[in-house]
Amino acid sequence: MLLNTKHFGEIEIDENKILDFFDGIPGFENLTKFFIIQNPEEGVPFQWLQSVEDTDLAFVIVNPFIFRPDYDFEIPKNIVEKLEIQSREEVQVFTIVIVPEDIKKITANLRAPIIINTKNNKAKQIVVDDENYQTKHYILEEMKIFSNSPQQTPQAEEPPVVEGAR
């Protein structure tokens, strides 16, 4: 499928990789079809969540475990059921990133992670009920904190997401 996007021009996408946000994304409830554009630069963790229905809309996203290896929350049981999650291995987690003019102030929304079932491509942005997580976490500051802490090593490969509700 060919898609003409504002930020990436004309791109070919695999229709089998289109994510179904059945409730949309908060603020964009009418948009339910997205796909992830991988970053072509090796070692750069940022990717894009591109809307299929509104080709002008793309969110910068990142795996939060890269800069916050202690990020921990539970997916509510009703969301596990809606996404038809059967195991941890099916789950991928991202957070939406805000890139301001001053790149040093780049932030991630840890309060509202995006949960993706990689087996069936169902997805949902949830709100985490935990005061430790805010809508703006300074990524570079978080990376400094955890890089100075030898007992904390980022585990970007398999994020520790729990299936049940608290």
Side-chain angles (χ1 to χ4, degrees):
M1 170 180 193
L2 274 179
L3 202 63
N4 192 16
T5 69
K6 176 181 179 179
H7 302 288
F8 304 100
E10 191 173 89
I11 56 174
E12 179 77 32
I13 62 166
D14 181 349
E15 291 185 50
N16 295 320
K17 293 186 178 183
I18 293 176
L19 303 173
D20 180 16
F21 282 80
F22 49 86
D23 291 330
I25 291 177
F28 302 91
E29 290 83 1
N30 60 324
L31 303 175
T32 60
K33 304 295 182 202
F34 290 83
F35 67 97
I36 295 175
I37 298 175
Q38 304 293 322
N39 196 321
E41 293 184 44
E42 194 170 316
V44 177
F46 302 103
Q47 300 171 48
W48 293 270
L49 185 65
Q50 173 68 54
S51 171
V52 173
E53 296 131 325
D54 180 353
T55 56
D56 288 350
L57 181 66
F59 297 101
V60 177
I61 58 173
V62 69
N63 175 336
F65 300 99
I66 291 172
F67 65 93
R68 264 311 279 269
D70 68 334
Y71 188 43
D72 185 38
F73 63 93
E74 294 187 16
I75 302 172
K77 186 175 178 143
N78 67 319
I79 302 302
V80 170
E81 290 170 359
K82 281 184 178 180
L83 296 179
E84 300 173 9
I85 295 170
Q86 301 296 315
S87 71
R88 288 175 158 223
E89 291 73 33
E90 296 174 357
V91 177
Q92 198 169 23
V93 178
F94 290 98
T95 55
I96 292 179
V97 173
I98 301 298
V99 183
E101 275 189 47
D102 182 355
I103 195 75
K104 294 176 190 166
K105 295 182 179 176
I106 190 170
T107 62
N109 181 354
L110 296 184
R111 181 70 125 185
I114 293 171
I115 311 302
I116 300 170
N117 181 336
T118 59
K119 188 175 177 184
N120 62 19
N121 290 339
K122 291 186 178 186
K124 179 149 179 73
Q125 184 175 29
I126 66 170
V127 176
V128 174
D129 187 23
D130 186 330
E131 295 300 318
N132 292 315
Y133 303 125
Q134 306 305 315
T135 57
K136 289 186 178 182
H137 281 263
Y138 291 93
I139 295 174
L140 298 178
E141 288 179 22
E142 299 276 355
M143 289 177 84
K144 284 180 191 174
I145 290 168
F146 286 98
S147 67
N148 292 330
S149 179
Q151 70 276 11
Q152 297 286 342
T153 308
Q155 300 291 323
E157 299 299 318
E158 292 185 33
V161 178
V162 180
E163 295 177 29
R166 286 189 186 191

